[in-house]
Amino acid sequence: MASPRSNPATSAVPPYNPRQLALVPGTRLGVYEVTALIGEGGMGQVYRATDTKLRRPVAIKILPPSLAADRHRLARFQREAEILASLNHPNIAQIHGLEESGGIKALVMELVEGEDLSQLLARGVMPLSEALPIAKQIAEALEAAHEQGIIHRDLKPANIKVRPDGTVKVLDFGLARANDPSGGSTADANSPTLAAHATLMGTILGTTAYMAPEQARGGTVDKRADVWAFGVVLWEMVAGRRVFEGATMSDTLAFVLTKDPDRTTLPATTPLRLQRLLARCLDRDPRMRLRDIGEARVEIERTIAGVGDGAVTSTSSPATSSAPRRRLPWMIAIAAVLAAVAFAVPAVQYLRETPPPETRTEIVTPATDQPASFALSPDGRQIVFVSSGDGTSRLWLRPLATTTAQPLGGTEGGRHPFWAPDSRSIGFFTDTALKRLDLGGGAPQTVAPVSSGAGGTWSADGFIVFAPSPTGPLMRVPAAGGSAVAVTVFGPREMGHRWPQMLPDGRRFLFYAGGLPDAAGIYLGALDGSPHKRLTLSESAGVYLAAGPGRAETSRGRGWLLWVRAGVLVAQHLDIGMAALTGEPVTLADGIDVDMSERSAASVAATGLVAYRTGAARQRRLTWFDRSGTARGTVGGTDATWGRPRVSPDGRRVAVGDTVQGNQDLWLLDGTRTSRFTFDSATEDICIWSPDGTRIVFTSTRTGGGDLYQKLTSGAGMEELLVASDGVKTPSSWSADGRFVLFHSTDPKTSSDLWVVPMAGDRKPSVFLKTPAREVWGAFSPDGRWVAYHSNESGRAEVYVRPFVPPGTAAPGGVWQVSTAGGIHPVWRPDGKELYYLDPAGAMMAAPITITGGTLEPGAPTALFSTRILGGGVDAGQGRQYDVAPDGRFLINTVLDNAGVPITLIQNWQPDAKK
C-alpha cells in the first residue's frame, strides 16, 4: 500500500493479495503501466495498459483474484499463453509475453479496439454483405488453430472482436486445448458441463447456447465442436437471433440436445449454399457434421462470390439435408418431446425418465464490499450485483448465458438492486434517491428521494414498494416517479420495515421488520393497508419462490419462503391464502451471508433459479494500521458479526457490537480478553466513550424505538436512559470537556438531523443542524470548537465542518466543505490538525485543517491507503467501521474475503427430495 507521499501513478505493483482488486490504474508490471479495467469475467480480468518502452497500447489479462491461488486455473492460464504463442495469424489476437510481478501472472496481448460481435448483434440482423466477411475471418482463425491441433472450445460472439476497419480478432483461448494423439480430448478434460467438485459446486466451461451436443453431454470433444459453435454464431448473424435459447440454462442445454434449428428464422433471401452450410455445421451427429472448418471458409467465399447459388423458396428445413435413414429416430424424439410438454415436464427431462439433477454453479464476480447486494432477473437470464472491481462501487450486469460482466453506467454508488417484472429495468438506491435504469438505453432516472434506502420491489401494475430508510415504514411510488405514500404502519415494538418483495398475486408482499425479539421477523403485508402478519421470527429478510410451473401449489398460492436461520438458508412452504408457513423447513445451504441491515445474500427468479452467497464473504478482523497503511496488529480473532469499533480514550480497550445467538449487544475487547457489556434481549449498538473512559453511551431498542442509554464501563449499576423520543437516535461524539454528546436522529420529513444533548442539568436535547438534507455522524474537534459531519445536500455525501457553540448561544456563521470528490464518516486527528474520512472507493483520506481565529481553512485531501473496510466508502447503513486511537493509529473493521466468494446458482432445486 502506498505511503502518503508516494505517487500512485508510478508505484510498483504491491505484494499480491488475492482478496483485493489485483491492478489499479497507475500500477506497473515491468514496462507495462495499467490505465483502466476493460472488463471482467469468470476466466480473467482484462486491463488496458501502455508499453512504456515501445509506446504502444496493450491488453493485460490476469486471473480474477479469487482464482489466482487455484493451481488448476493457473495451469489453464499458462496453457492459454502457450497456445497463443504457438499461433500467428492476423485474425487471432497476438500475445506479446507473459509477465510476472509481485505474485501476479499476466498475459500481455495485442489490444484490439472496437466492439465485440455480441454488441454488433444486439443491434439486430446483419446484412450478408457485413456478416459473411466477418464469418470468413472467423473461419480462417479457427482453421489456423485447428492446423496447429488446437480447439478453441468457447467460440461465441463475446470472444470475437471486430475492429473499426472490419478486421476480426478471435479472443480468449482460456478453454482451448490441444488434441491428444487420437484426435480427440478426454471427456474429463473438455467437458463444459457441470463438473462437480468435492463441495458439489460446479463451473460451466464454455457458454451454454454455443456448446456442441457432445460438449454439453461431457463427451469427447474435437475440432467439430468448434465447427458447431461457428455454425451457431453464423446463424445468429444471419437470423438476428440465437438458434438455441431457453428461459434457463437447463432449457438451453435441452434445446441444444434435442431441438433442430428453425429455418423459418432465416431471412427468405438467405442463399441456398449458406443454408446447406449451416445445416452441415449444425448436424447433431458429429460423424455427419462438417468435418473441417476450412470447408466452411470455402463455402463462404463462394457465397460471397455468388458462385452457382440462389435464394431458397422451399419450405423444407436445412436440417433435412441429413440422411433419410436418420429421420425416423428424430421423428420419434420429437414425438417424445411433445408428449413431455403435454405433461409439463421440465425441458431437460426430454432426455430422461427421471427429473433433471439439481446442479450448483459458481458465478465469479469482481471484488465487492456489499456481497449481499445482488438480484436475479425474474426471467432467470441475468444477474445484477454491486462491485467495486474497477475502484468505484457500482452496479454490474451479467447475462447468465455468458461469462462476462459489465459495469452499468450512471450507477456509481448504487446498491440494493431489484428488477422490474419484465426483466427490462433495474431499480436501485444511492445515498439520496431511489432510481431506475432501463436496460434499453438512457441514464438512470430518479423515482423518489430516500435517506439511505433499504430495499425495493416492483409490482406488475407499475408501482414500486420501497424502504426509504432502514428505520421507517414502507412506501409506494409510481415507477415513473411521483408522490410516495406509506403502505405499512408500525405495530407494537416494531422498528423499521425493509426489504419488501411483491408476491405473485400483485396485492401482497413480504417484508422484514426490526424491533424487539417478540416483534422482529418476516411479515406478510398488503397494498390495501390491512394489518400485516408475522410469518416467522427471523434474523434476516426472506424471499419468495413460487412453486414450479404446472404444480398444484401455484394455483393455490403455495410456494416457498426462503430465509437465513442461524447462518443456514432454509425454505418452508408458505400458504399465502392462510398467511402461514406449513410443513417442515428444508435446508439449501450453510453459512449464508446476512448484511448489517438484515438483508440475506439470497435471490430467486420466477423460473425457479436460486442464488446465494456464503458468509465467508463477510469474515472480519479488527486490524491496526499506521498512516502508511501498514498493518500493526489485530484485536481479537475473526468474526462475521463484529461492527463499529470504538477505541477507549486511553487506547487500551475497544467497544464493539457483536451478535451472539441472534442477539446484538456491546462487548469490550481488552487485549485477548472479551467481555459482554450489555445484556438486554433488545438490540444494543453504536456507542461512544466518555472523555475519561468511565461511561459509554449507546443506542438500544428495548423500548421499541432507538433511544440513548449510558452505563458505567466498570459494569457497576444499571443502564440509565439518556434520551427518549420518536425516531432512532445514533450517538456519534462526546465533547472533550465532557459537557455534550452529539447524535443524529431520523425524521420522516427531513431524513436525519444533528442533535446535541447536555450531560448535566435537565439533559434536554436541542437541534444542532436540521435541513432537508441528511446530516449524520457529527464529530467534535478535540478543542470542542468545531463539528465535522457528512451530508448529502449536494446530491452526494461530502464532509463539512461548522462551528459549535453551546445550545442557546447565537452560533457564528460559516460552513466549510472538506472533501472534494465525496466522503463519509469524518474523524479528527487527536491534535485537531487533520480530518480523516473515507472516499467513495473506501480509501482513508486526510485533509489538513488550519484554524485562524474564528476561521477554518481545509487543505487539499490526500489518500493515505486503501482500507478494505466493511461497507467500503458508501454510506449504506453500516455505520462508521473505523476509529482513531490517541496515538494516531487506525483501527479498521477489515473484510477478509470481499472478493473471494462467488455467487452460487441452484438449478432444478428439488426440495421434495430432501424432506
Side-chain angles (χ1 to χ4, degrees):
M1 299 181 183
S3 71
R5 295 186 178 87
S6 67
N7 181 356
T10 58
S11 61
V13 65
Y16 180 53
N17 183 343
R19 299 185 178 95
Q20 293 178 309
L21 178 66
L23 303 177
V24 296
T27 300
R28 297 194 99 176
L29 282 170
V31 300
Y32 304 104
E33 182 175 313
V34 174
T35 56
L37 176 69
I38 297 175
E40 180 163 359
M43 292 305 298
Q45 297 173 338
V46 182
Y47 299 83
R48 179 187 293 270
T50 299
D51 183 335
T52 59
K53 190 172 184 180
L54 299 179
R55 301 293 180 185
R56 63 178 176 179
V58 297
I60 290 181
K61 178 178 179 180
I62 68 169
L63 280 175
S66 58
L67 302 180
D70 187 325
R71 60 186 181 88
H72 298 291
R73 302 301 177 101
L74 284 172
R76 187 180 300 153
F77 198 65
Q78 178 72 29
R79 184 171 68 247
E80 180 178 6
E82 295 169 355
I83 286 172
L84 286 174
S86 70
L87 298 174
N88 183 15
H89 192 273
N91 296 122
I92 298 176
Q94 293 181 324
I95 185 171
H96 298 318
L98 188 64
E99 191 77 25
E100 291 189 63
S101 179
I104 296 177
K105 181 175 287 189
L107 288 180
V108 183
M109 300 180 295
E110 173 187 2
L111 178 65
V112 183
E113 303 286 1
E115 296 179 296
D116 65 49
L117 187 55
S118 67
Q119 294 170 302
L120 299 178
L121 290 172
R123 298 172 189 154
V125 179
M126 283 186 173
L128 286 179
S129 60
E130 181 181 350
L132 292 181
I134 292 174
K136 175 178 175 290
Q137 295 178 75
I138 297 170
E140 289 174 339
L142 292 176
E143 187 176 10
H146 291 177
E147 287 174 353
Q148 297 294 321
I150 295 168
I151 312 162
H152 190 287
R153 296 200 308 148
D154 195 25
L155 185 71
K156 58 188 177 185
N159 285 340
I160 300 166
K161 269 289 191 75
V162 182
R163 294 194 326 200
D165 64 0
T167 302
V168 170
K169 295 284 185 176
V170 177
L171 313 174
D172 203 346
F173 279 75
L175 300 186
R177 194 171 186 88
N179 286 346
D180 64 20
S182 66
S185 302
T186 66
D188 288 345
N190 288 284
S191 172
T193 55
L194 294 168
H197 299 293
T199 61
L200 297 182
M201 296 182 182
T203 302
I204 288 282
L205 303 183
T207 302
T208 311
Y210 303 91
M211 291 178 187
E214 64 272 20
Q215 193 176 11
R217 292 189 182 99
T220 299
V221 172
D222 60 22
K223 63 183 182 181
R224 290 171 294 185
D226 282 351
V227 172
W228 172 281
F230 172 80
V232 176
V233 172
L234 178 56
W235 188 295
E236 190 170 344
M237 284 195 288
V238 175
R241 57 182 293 180
R242 287 182 180 173
V243 191
F244 308 105
E245 185 170 31
T248 67
M249 282 187 276
S250 295
D251 292 337
T252 302
L253 282 172
F255 292 158
V256 168
L257 294 169
T258 66
K259 183 179 179 182
D260 283 330
D262 181 1
R263 187 205 65 80
T264 63
T265 64
L266 293 172
T269 56
T270 304
L272 178 59
R273 184 189 304 278
L274 190 59
Q275 294 199 40
R276 286 197 297 258
L277 172 61
L278 287 167
R280 293 200 62 196
C281 289
L282 297 178
D283 197 309
R284 197 167 283 104
D285 186 347
R287 298 171 301 170
M288 304 303 295
R289 194 178 305 152
L290 189 74
R291 301 188 65 80
D292 197 306
I293 196 67
E295 297 177 37
R297 189 253 309 156
V298 171
E299 291 299 304
I300 290 172
E301 289 178 344
R302 289 178 175 174
T303 304
I304 293 173
V307 178
D309 201 1
V312 154
T313 58
S314 168
T315 58
S316 62
S317 167
T320 60
S321 62
S322 300
R325 60 187 171 85
R326 294 189 292 113
R327 290 179 180 168
L328 183 58
W330 283 115
M331 292 175 65
I332 295 172
I334 292 171
V337 169
L338 293 175
V341 171
F343 288 98
V345 179
V348 177
Q349 197 168 353
Y350 295 164
L351 305 178
R352 304 180 177 92
E353 295 181 357
T354 57
E358 178 181 304
T359 57
R360 303 201 177 200
T361 307
E362 293 179 356
I363 299 293
V364 178
T365 70
T368 180
D369 50 33
Q370 297 182 53
S373 209
F374 63 87
L376 288 168
S377 62
D379 62 11
R381 298 185 179 188
Q382 302 179 90
I383 188 168
V384 61
F385 54 86
V386 175
S387 169
S388 52
D390 59 355
T392 300
S393 182
R394 71 184 84 207
L395 301 187
W396 288 57
L397 181 68
R398 171 173 165 171
L400 295 180
T402 73
T403 58
T404 303
Q406 296 294 334
L408 294 175
T411 65
E412 292 77 10
R415 56 187 181 270
H416 309 323
F418 59 96
W419 288 85
D422 62 4
S423 300
R424 296 179 181 177
S425 301
I426 296 171
F428 64 95
F429 295 88
T430 65
D431 284 343
T432 60
L434 164 64
K435 295 189 175 186
R436 64 176 286 177
L437 175 66
D438 297 328
L439 298 183
Q445 308 166 43
T446 296
V447 177
V450 302
S451 59
S452 59
T457 184
W458 203 315
S459 71
D461 60 359
F463 284 89
I464 292 176
V465 175
F466 69 105
S469 76
T471 58
L474 297 178
M475 310 291 286
R476 185 178 72 172
V477 66
S483 299
V485 296
V487 294
T488 61
V489 177
F490 288 165
R493 301 162 72 83
E494 294 173 15
M495 186 186 69
H497 293 169
R498 46 196 181 268
W499 311 123
Q501 184 192 5
M502 291 299 304
L503 296 179
D505 63 8
R507 298 182 296 107
R508 285 169 289 191
F509 53 89
L510 299 174
F511 67 93
Y512 181 84
L516 297 182
D518 61 348
I522 300 170
Y523 282 77
L524 182 65
L527 292 177
D528 62 10
S530 56
H532 48 269
K533 179 181 179 181
R534 189 167 75 161
L535 298 172
T536 182
L537 171 66
S538 174
E539 62 192 62
S540 77
V543 294
Y544 179 79
L545 179 65
R551 295 182 186 173
E553 291 93 332
T554 302
S555 61
R556 296 201 305 266
R558 186 167 179 256
W560 293 89
L561 176 67
L562 279 64
W563 79 101
V564 176
R565 185 174 65 183
V568 177
L569 181 62
V570 298
Q572 191 170 355
H573 271 305
L574 169 60
D575 191 311
I576 299 175
M578 295 175 57
L581 297 176
T582 62
E584 295 298 321
V586 176
T587 297
L588 282 81
D590 294 328
I592 305 303
D593 184 44
V594 175
D595 71 13
M596 300 191 74
S597 55
E598 289 79 33
R599 178 177 183 171
S600 58
S603 179
V604 299
T607 59
L609 195 64
V610 178
Y612 66 84
R613 193 177 233 144
T614 61
R618 304 289 289 199
Q619 286 294 325
R620 311 164 194 168
R621 176 175 289 151
L622 300 178
T623 305
W624 290 106
F625 292 91
D626 61 23
R627 67 182 289 124
S628 72
T630 302
R632 297 298 185 184
T634 61
V635 177
T638 61
D639 194 289
T641 58
W642 276 343
R644 296 175 276 265
R646 297 295 182 266
V647 182
S648 64
D650 61 7
R652 296 175 54 188
R653 292 181 290 175
V654 176
V656 65
D658 194 10
T659 301
V660 177
Q661 296 180 341
N663 185 37
Q664 183 164 312
D665 282 292
L666 294 175
W667 294 68
L668 298 182
L669 310 180
D670 184 359
T672 59
R673 182 174 176 269
T674 302
S675 59
R676 186 173 175 179
F677 182 67
T678 61
F679 297 85
D680 197 272
S681 60
T683 294
E684 277 77 37
D685 191 18
I686 311 182
C687 67
I688 54 174
W689 294 79
S690 64
D692 60 6
T694 61
R695 289 172 291 165
I696 285 178
V697 166
F698 58 91
T699 298
S700 175
T701 64
R702 64 189 65 183
T703 57
D707 293 332
L708 298 185
Y709 288 77
Q710 67 171 328
K711 182 179 178 180
L712 294 173
T713 56
S714 65
M718 300 293 292
E719 292 96 340
E720 178 186 359
L721 179 62
L722 182 62
V723 179
S725 64
D726 294 336
V728 177
K729 293 159 285 295
T730 302
S732 58
S733 185
W734 203 320
S735 62
D737 60 9
R739 297 172 59 198
F740 302 102
V741 163
L742 268 172
F743 65 93
H744 55 264
S745 179
T746 58
D747 185 306
K749 297 180 179 179
T750 60
S751 187
S752 289
D753 308 302
L754 297 182
W755 291 69
V756 61
V757 57
M759 297 304 290
D762 61 6
R763 293 182 180 174
K764 181 180 179 180
S766 59
V767 172
F768 173 71
L769 181 61
K770 187 182 187 72
T771 76
R774 179 173 183 258
E775 297 92 18
V776 289
W777 300 107
F780 284 113
S781 61
D783 61 7
R785 295 178 55 198
W786 312 91
V787 171
Y789 61 96
H790 79 249
S791 168
N792 60 13
E793 66 178 65
S794 68
R796 69 177 177 187
E798 299 280 7
V799 173
Y800 300 88
V801 174
R802 288 176 177 265
F804 175 77
V805 294
T809 306
V815 57
W816 293 267
Q817 182 175 328
V818 176
S819 59
T820 57
I824 60 173
H825 299 148
V827 176
W828 294 86
R829 198 170 83 178
D831 62 5
K833 295 183 178 181
E834 274 187 320
L835 196 60
Y836 303 121
Y837 65 91
L838 298 173
D839 78 354
M844 185 64 67
M845 306 293 292
I849 300 295
T850 301
I851 299 172
T852 304
T855 301
L856 179 146
E857 182 180 352
T862 301
L864 299 183
F865 57 93
S866 178
T867 61
R868 290 187 294 114
I869 194 169
L870 178 68
V874 177
D875 184 10
Q878 78 276 8
R880 178 160 61 85
Q881 296 289 341
Y882 79 97
D883 204 7
V884 179
D887 60 6
R889 291 177 300 158
F890 299 86
L891 182 63
I892 299 177
N893 196 14
T894 56
V895 178
L896 300 184
D897 293 295
N898 66 340
V901 180
I903 296 170
T904 300
L905 299 179
I906 307 179
Q907 294 174 268
N908 309 317
W909 180 51
Q910 299 173 6
D912 294 334
K914 296 175 171 59
K915 294 192 291 187

